[in-house]
Amino acid sequence: MKNIKTALAAIIVALMLVGPAWASPQIVTLNVSGMTCAACPITVKKALEKVPGVTKIEVRFKKKQVLVTFDDAKTNTDALVKATTNAGYPSQPQKASK
Ligand SMILES: [Cu+2]
């Protein structure tokens, strides 16, 4: 019986170690051609902040790009594109995150 408990404990510890790897952070670059003035990135950023799973937003205004770091277990590129589009700024992912 003691061996089974030890084995279970080992499995639980292993799962805890593996766990965070399931939700791997992804970075996607969105091309937002509609960002024409300095106020635009603020709107885009606010829209992306509302998407659950987004952890970091980096606006590259000069390149009209937004780098979004997100948890791929909670959201996806399509949802991010939708969020900026709904805010009035249609965007295209530079490369697929899959
Ligand atoms: Cu603007």
Side-chain angles (χ1 to χ4, degrees):
M1 281 303 160
K2 201 186 173 192
N3 283 342
I4 291 169
K5 272 187 184 171
T6 308
L8 281 176
I11 290 166
I12 289 163
V13 168
L15 285 175
M16 280 162 66
L17 291 173
V18 171
W22 294 338
S24 52
Q26 302 281 319
I27 301 171
V28 68
T29 302
L30 297 177
N31 291 307
V32 191
S33 54
M35 289 199 297
T36 50
C37 80
C40 290
I42 297 165
T43 310
V44 174
K45 205 176 172 185
K46 277 188 177 171
L48 289 168
E49 276 171 354
K50 285 179 189 167
V51 181
V54 171
T55 51
K56 196 182 162 192
I57 302 157
E58 192 186 324
V59 179
R60 291 186 179 166
F61 179 59
K62 280 179 185 172
K63 286 183 170 181
K64 294 184 179 176
Q65 287 178 338
V66 184
L67 272 74
V68 188
T69 309
F70 63 95
D71 181 343
D72 69 351
K74 289 179 184 167
T75 189
N76 54 52
T77 305
D78 286 350
L80 302 174
V81 168
K82 229 180 200 177
T84 66
T85 304
N86 288 343
Y89 297 93
S91 60
Q92 292 85 36
Q94 196 163 54
K95 59 181 177 184
S97 61
K98 281 179 184 177

